[in-house]
PDB file of all heavy atoms in Angstrom:
ATOM      1  N   ILE M  71     -17.588 -57.940  36.228  1.00 82.00           N
ATOM      2  CA  ILE M  71     -16.201 -58.105  35.758  1.00 82.00           C
ATOM      3  C   ILE M  71     -15.292 -58.467  36.923  1.00 82.00           C
ATOM      4  O   ILE M  71     -14.437 -59.356  36.828  1.00 82.00           O
ATOM      5  CB  ILE M  71     -15.733 -56.814  35.065  1.00 82.00           C
ATOM      6  CG1 ILE M  71     -16.501 -56.609  33.751  1.00 82.00           C
ATOM      7  CG2 ILE M  71     -14.225 -56.852  34.781  1.00 82.00           C
ATOM      8  CD1 ILE M  71     -16.294 -55.261  33.107  1.00 82.00           C
ATOM      9  N   LEU M  72     -15.474 -57.743  38.045  1.00 80.00           N
ATOM     10  CA  LEU M  72     -14.635 -57.984  39.206  1.00 80.00           C
ATOM     11  C   LEU M  72     -14.830 -59.404  39.739  1.00 80.00           C
ATOM     12  O   LEU M  72     -13.892 -60.029  40.259  1.00 80.00           O
ATOM     13  CB  LEU M  72     -14.959 -56.953  40.304  1.00 80.00           C
ATOM     14  CG  LEU M  72     -14.182 -57.085  41.612  1.00 80.00           C
ATOM     15  CD1 LEU M  72     -12.675 -56.952  41.385  1.00 80.00           C
ATOM     16  CD2 LEU M  72     -14.658 -56.024  42.608  1.00 80.00           C
ATOM     17  N   ASN M  73     -16.025 -59.955  39.611  1.00 78.00           N
ATOM     18  CA  ASN M  73     -16.320 -61.283  40.141  1.00 78.00           C
ATOM     19  C   ASN M  73     -15.474 -62.353  39.446  1.00 78.00           C
ATOM     20  O   ASN M  73     -15.223 -63.411  40.026  1.00 78.00           O
ATOM     21  CB  ASN M  73     -17.816 -61.569  39.967  1.00 78.00           C
ATOM     22  CG  ASN M  73     -18.226 -62.843  40.692  1.00 78.00           C
ATOM     23  OD1 ASN M  73     -17.806 -63.090  41.839  1.00 78.00           O
ATOM     24  ND2 ASN M  73     -19.034 -63.666  40.041  1.00 78.00           N
ATOM     25  N   TYR M  74     -15.064 -62.071  38.197  1.00 77.00           N
ATOM     26  CA  TYR M  74     -14.299 -63.056  37.443  1.00 77.00           C
ATOM     27  C   TYR M  74     -12.821 -62.705  37.328  1.00 77.00           C
ATOM     28  O   TYR M  74     -12.080 -63.386  36.632  1.00 77.00           O
ATOM     29  CB  TYR M  74     -14.895 -63.207  36.040  1.00 77.00           C
ATOM     30  CG  TYR M  74     -16.264 -63.833  36.055  1.00 77.00           C
ATOM     31  CD1 TYR M  74     -17.397 -63.041  35.921  1.00 77.00           C
ATOM     32  CD2 TYR M  74     -16.426 -65.212  36.222  1.00 77.00           C
ATOM     33  CE1 TYR M  74     -18.661 -63.596  35.952  1.00 77.00           C
ATOM     34  CE2 TYR M  74     -17.694 -65.770  36.245  1.00 77.00           C
ATOM     35  CZ  TYR M  74     -18.808 -64.964  36.108  1.00 77.00           C
ATOM     36  OH  TYR M  74     -20.055 -65.502  36.128  1.00 77.00           O
ATOM     37  N   VAL M  75     -12.397 -61.611  37.952  1.00 73.00           N
ATOM     38  CA  VAL M  75     -10.976 -61.222  37.915  1.00 73.00           C
ATOM     39  C   VAL M  75     -10.221 -62.006  38.972  1.00 73.00           C
ATOM     40  O   VAL M  75     -10.669 -62.079  40.128  1.00 73.00           O
ATOM     41  CB  VAL M  75     -10.819 -59.706  38.142  1.00 73.00           C
ATOM     42  CG1 VAL M  75      -9.343 -59.356  38.301  1.00 73.00           C
ATOM     43  CG2 VAL M  75     -11.424 -58.944  36.970  1.00 73.00           C
ATOM     44  N   ILE M  76      -9.059 -62.572  38.610  1.00 72.00           N
ATOM     45  CA  ILE M  76      -8.239 -63.367  39.533  1.00 72.00           C
ATOM     46  C   ILE M  76      -6.994 -62.603  39.942  1.00 72.00           C
ATOM     47  O   ILE M  76      -6.582 -62.648  41.104  1.00 72.00           O
ATOM     48  CB  ILE M  76      -7.854 -64.708  38.869  1.00 72.00           C
ATOM     49  CG1 ILE M  76      -9.125 -65.497  38.504  1.00 72.00           C
ATOM     50  CG2 ILE M  76      -6.952 -65.526  39.763  1.00 72.00           C
ATOM     51  CD1 ILE M  76      -8.846 -66.744  37.695  1.00 72.00           C
ATOM     52  N   ASP M  77      -6.384 -61.871  39.005  1.00 74.00           N
ATOM     53  CA  ASP M  77      -5.140 -61.134  39.285  1.00 74.00           C
ATOM     54  C   ASP M  77      -5.395 -60.087  40.355  1.00 74.00           C
ATOM     55  O   ASP M  77      -6.371 -59.305  40.284  1.00 74.00           O
ATOM     56  CB  ASP M  77      -4.667 -60.450  37.996  1.00 74.00           C
ATOM     57  CG  ASP M  77      -3.284 -59.855  38.179  1.00 74.00           C
ATOM     58  OD1 ASP M  77      -2.731 -59.956  39.272  1.00 74.00           O
ATOM     59  OD2 ASP M  77      -2.771 -59.273  37.189  1.00 74.00           O
ATOM     60  N   THR M  81      -7.599 -56.691  40.342  1.00 80.00           N
ATOM     61  CA  THR M  81      -8.683 -56.659  41.350  1.00 80.00           C
ATOM     62  C   THR M  81      -8.699 -55.320  42.062  1.00 80.00           C
ATOM     63  O   THR M  81      -9.763 -54.688  42.236  1.00 80.00           O
ATOM     64  CB  THR M  81      -8.484 -57.796  42.365  1.00 80.00           C
ATOM     65  OG1 THR M  81      -8.513 -59.041  41.669  1.00 80.00           O
ATOM     66  CG2 THR M  81      -9.571 -57.767  43.422  1.00 80.00           C
ATOM     67  N   ASN M  82      -7.530 -54.835  42.488  1.00 82.00           N
ATOM     68  CA  ASN M  82      -7.454 -53.533  43.183  1.00 82.00           C
ATOM     69  C   ASN M  82      -7.893 -52.397  42.267  1.00 82.00           C
ATOM     70  O   ASN M  82      -8.568 -51.453  42.702  1.00 82.00           O
ATOM     71  CB  ASN M  82      -6.029 -53.290  43.683  1.00 82.00           C
ATOM     72  CG  ASN M  82      -5.649 -54.270  44.793  1.00 82.00           C
ATOM     73  OD1 ASN M  82      -6.522 -54.732  45.546  1.00 82.00           O
ATOM     74  ND2 ASN M  82      -4.375 -54.604  44.902  1.00 82.00           N
ATOM     75  N   ILE M  85     -11.656 -52.506  41.979  1.00 83.00           N
ATOM     76  CA  ILE M  85     -12.291 -52.053  43.226  1.00 83.00           C
ATOM     77  C   ILE M  85     -12.279 -50.542  43.294  1.00 83.00           C
ATOM     78  O   ILE M  85     -13.286 -49.908  43.665  1.00 83.00           O
ATOM     79  CB  ILE M  85     -11.568 -52.678  44.444  1.00 83.00           C
ATOM     80  CG1 ILE M  85     -11.868 -54.198  44.512  1.00 83.00           C
ATOM     81  CG2 ILE M  85     -11.991 -51.997  45.740  1.00 83.00           C
ATOM     82  CD1 ILE M  85     -11.048 -54.937  45.556  1.00 83.00           C
ATOM     83  N   LEU M 139     -20.444 -54.563  50.494  1.00 85.00           N
ATOM     84  CA  LEU M 139     -20.070 -55.820  51.123  1.00 85.00           C
ATOM     85  C   LEU M 139     -19.279 -56.702  50.152  1.00 85.00           C
ATOM     86  O   LEU M 139     -18.289 -57.351  50.530  1.00 85.00           O
ATOM     87  CB  LEU M 139     -21.346 -56.540  51.597  1.00 85.00           C
ATOM     88  CG  LEU M 139     -21.124 -57.841  52.405  1.00 85.00           C
ATOM     89  CD1 LEU M 139     -20.261 -57.595  53.646  1.00 85.00           C
ATOM     90  CD2 LEU M 139     -22.485 -58.440  52.806  1.00 85.00           C
ATOM     91  N   PHE M 140     -19.682 -56.700  48.890  1.00 84.00           N
ATOM     92  CA  PHE M 140     -18.986 -57.480  47.865  1.00 84.00           C
ATOM     93  C   PHE M 140     -17.533 -57.016  47.712  1.00 84.00           C
ATOM     94  O   PHE M 140     -16.618 -57.821  47.600  1.00 84.00           O
ATOM     95  CB  PHE M 140     -19.727 -57.358  46.530  1.00 84.00           C
ATOM     96  CG  PHE M 140     -19.052 -58.062  45.397  1.00 84.00           C
ATOM     97  CD1 PHE M 140     -19.166 -59.445  45.225  1.00 84.00           C
ATOM     98  CD2 PHE M 140     -18.266 -57.349  44.490  1.00 84.00           C
ATOM     99  CE1 PHE M 140     -18.523 -60.076  44.193  1.00 84.00           C
ATOM    100  CE2 PHE M 140     -17.626 -57.986  43.461  1.00 84.00           C
ATOM    101  CZ  PHE M 140     -17.761 -59.354  43.299  1.00 84.00           C
ATOM    102  N   LEU M 141     -17.348 -55.674  47.744  1.00 83.00           N
ATOM    103  CA  LEU M 141     -15.995 -55.126  47.600  1.00 83.00           C
ATOM    104  C   LEU M 141     -15.124 -55.519  48.787  1.00 83.00           C
ATOM    105  O   LEU M 141     -13.931 -55.827  48.630  1.00 83.00           O
ATOM    106  CB  LEU M 141     -16.045 -53.601  47.451  1.00 83.00           C
ATOM    107  CG  LEU M 141     -16.668 -53.060  46.165  1.00 83.00           C
ATOM    108  CD1 LEU M 141     -16.720 -51.537  46.185  1.00 83.00           C
ATOM    109  CD2 LEU M 141     -15.899 -53.545  44.941  1.00 83.00           C
ATOM    110  N   GLU M 142     -15.700 -55.499  50.001  1.00 83.00           N
ATOM    111  CA  GLU M 142     -14.932 -55.884  51.193  1.00 83.00           C
ATOM    112  C   GLU M 142     -14.504 -57.350  51.110  1.00 83.00           C
ATOM    113  O   GLU M 142     -13.375 -57.709  51.443  1.00 83.00           O
ATOM    114  CB  GLU M 142     -15.784 -55.657  52.445  1.00 83.00           C
ATOM    115  CG  GLU M 142     -15.975 -54.188  52.804  1.00 83.00           C
ATOM    116  CD  GLU M 142     -14.674 -53.527  53.171  1.00 83.00           C
ATOM    117  OE1 GLU M 142     -13.784 -54.192  53.774  1.00 83.00           O
ATOM    118  OE2 GLU M 142     -14.516 -52.328  52.832  1.00 83.00           O
ATOM    119  N   ASN M 143     -15.450 -58.216  50.650  1.00 82.00           N
ATOM    120  CA  ASN M 143     -15.128 -59.645  50.519  1.00 82.00           C
ATOM    121  C   ASN M 143     -14.039 -59.857  49.469  1.00 82.00           C
ATOM    122  O   ASN M 143     -13.132 -60.675  49.662  1.00 82.00           O
ATOM    123  CB  ASN M 143     -16.381 -60.434  50.144  1.00 82.00           C
ATOM    124  CG  ASN M 143     -17.395 -60.468  51.304  1.00 82.00           C
ATOM    125  OD1 ASN M 143     -17.021 -60.231  52.464  1.00 82.00           O
ATOM    126  ND2 ASN M 143     -18.657 -60.734  51.010  1.00 82.00           N
ATOM    127  N   ARG M 144     -14.112 -59.114  48.359  1.00 78.00           N
ATOM    128  CA  ARG M 144     -13.107 -59.275  47.305  1.00 78.00           C
ATOM    129  C   ARG M 144     -11.755 -58.760  47.749  1.00 78.00           C
ATOM    130  O   ARG M 144     -10.714 -59.257  47.343  1.00 78.00           O
ATOM    131  CB  ARG M 144     -13.543 -58.532  46.024  1.00 78.00           C
ATOM    132  CG  ARG M 144     -14.642 -59.210  45.245  1.00 78.00           C
ATOM    133  CD  ARG M 144     -14.198 -60.536  44.669  1.00 78.00           C
ATOM    134  NE  ARG M 144     -13.146 -60.335  43.656  1.00 78.00           N
ATOM    135  CZ  ARG M 144     -12.486 -61.290  43.090  1.00 78.00           C
ATOM    136  NH1 ARG M 144     -12.716 -62.560  43.447  1.00 78.00           N
ATOM    137  NH2 ARG M 144     -11.569 -61.043  42.173  1.00 78.00           N
ATOM    138  N   LYS M 145     -11.794 -57.770  48.608  1.00 78.00           N
ATOM    139  CA  LYS M 145     -10.547 -57.198  49.102  1.00 78.00           C
ATOM    140  C   LYS M 145      -9.804 -58.221  49.949  1.00 78.00           C
ATOM    141  O   LYS M 145      -8.579 -58.356  49.866  1.00 78.00           O
ATOM    142  CB  LYS M 145     -10.864 -55.941  49.916  1.00 78.00           C
ATOM    143  CG  LYS M 145      -9.801 -54.868  49.813  1.00 78.00           C
ATOM    144  CD  LYS M 145     -10.313 -53.609  50.463  1.00 78.00           C
ATOM    145  CE  LYS M 145      -9.446 -52.453  50.056  1.00 78.00           C
ATOM    146  NZ  LYS M 145      -9.862 -51.222  50.707  1.00 78.00           N
ATOM    147  N   THR M 146     -10.581 -58.939  50.799  1.00 75.00           N
ATOM    148  CA  THR M 146      -9.960 -59.925  51.683  1.00 75.00           C
ATOM    149  C   THR M 146      -9.821 -61.273  50.995  1.00 75.00           C
ATOM    150  O   THR M 146      -9.082 -62.151  51.478  1.00 75.00           O
ATOM    151  CB  THR M 146     -10.808 -60.084  52.950  1.00 75.00           C
ATOM    152  OG1 THR M 146     -12.146 -60.431  52.577  1.00 75.00           O
ATOM    153  CG2 THR M 146     -10.836 -58.779  53.735  1.00 75.00           C
ATOM    154  N   GLY M 147     -10.557 -61.492  49.918  1.00 70.00           N
ATOM    155  CA  GLY M 147     -10.435 -62.739  49.158  1.00 70.00           C
ATOM    156  C   GLY M 147     -11.159 -63.907  49.797  1.00 70.00           C
ATOM    157  O   GLY M 147     -10.737 -65.054  49.631  1.00 70.00           O
ATOM    158  N   ILE M 148     -12.250 -63.630  50.522  1.00 66.00           N
ATOM    159  CA  ILE M 148     -12.975 -64.717  51.201  1.00 66.00           C
ATOM    160  C   ILE M 148     -14.436 -64.672  50.802  1.00 66.00           C
ATOM    161  O   ILE M 148     -14.880 -63.741  50.149  1.00 66.00           O
ATOM    162  CB  ILE M 148     -12.805 -64.620  52.738  1.00 66.00           C
ATOM    163  CG1 ILE M 148     -13.334 -63.269  53.228  1.00 66.00           C
ATOM    164  CG2 ILE M 148     -11.357 -64.795  53.149  1.00 66.00           C
ATOM    165  CD1 ILE M 148     -13.371 -63.150  54.747  1.00 66.00           C
ATOM    166  N   GLU M 150     -16.559 -66.625  48.882  1.00 73.00           N
ATOM    167  CA  GLU M 150     -16.891 -66.680  47.464  1.00 73.00           C
ATOM    168  C   GLU M 150     -18.371 -67.005  47.264  1.00 73.00           C
ATOM    169  O   GLU M 150     -19.016 -66.456  46.383  1.00 73.00           O
ATOM    170  CB  GLU M 150     -16.037 -67.753  46.774  1.00 73.00           C
ATOM    171  CG  GLU M 150     -14.560 -67.405  46.680  1.00 73.00           C
ATOM    172  CD  GLU M 150     -14.336 -66.199  45.806  1.00 73.00           C
ATOM    173  OE1 GLU M 150     -15.114 -65.968  44.858  1.00 73.00           O
ATOM    174  OE2 GLU M 150     -13.381 -65.424  46.072  1.00 73.00           O
ATOM    175  N   ASN M 153     -20.425 -63.989  47.958  1.00 78.00           N
ATOM    176  CA  ASN M 153     -20.262 -63.010  46.871  1.00 78.00           C
ATOM    177  C   ASN M 153     -21.186 -63.341  45.706  1.00 78.00           C
ATOM    178  O   ASN M 153     -21.738 -62.428  45.060  1.00 78.00           O
ATOM    179  CB  ASN M 153     -18.816 -62.985  46.388  1.00 78.00           C
ATOM    180  CG  ASN M 153     -17.916 -62.238  47.375  1.00 78.00           C
ATOM    181  OD1 ASN M 153     -18.413 -61.543  48.255  1.00 78.00           O
ATOM    182  ND2 ASN M 153     -16.591 -62.390  47.216  1.00 78.00           N
TER     183      ASN M 153
END
Side-chain angles (χ1 to χ4, degrees):
I71 292 170
L72 179 60
N73 189 43
Y74 292 101
V75 172
I76 300 173
D77 189 359
T81 300
N82 293 331
I85 290 172
L139 185 57
F140 177 79
L141 292 177
E142 288 296 326
N143 291 340
R144 285 294 294 173
K145 213 171 195 183
T146 56
I148 59 173
E150 291 295 329
N153 284 346

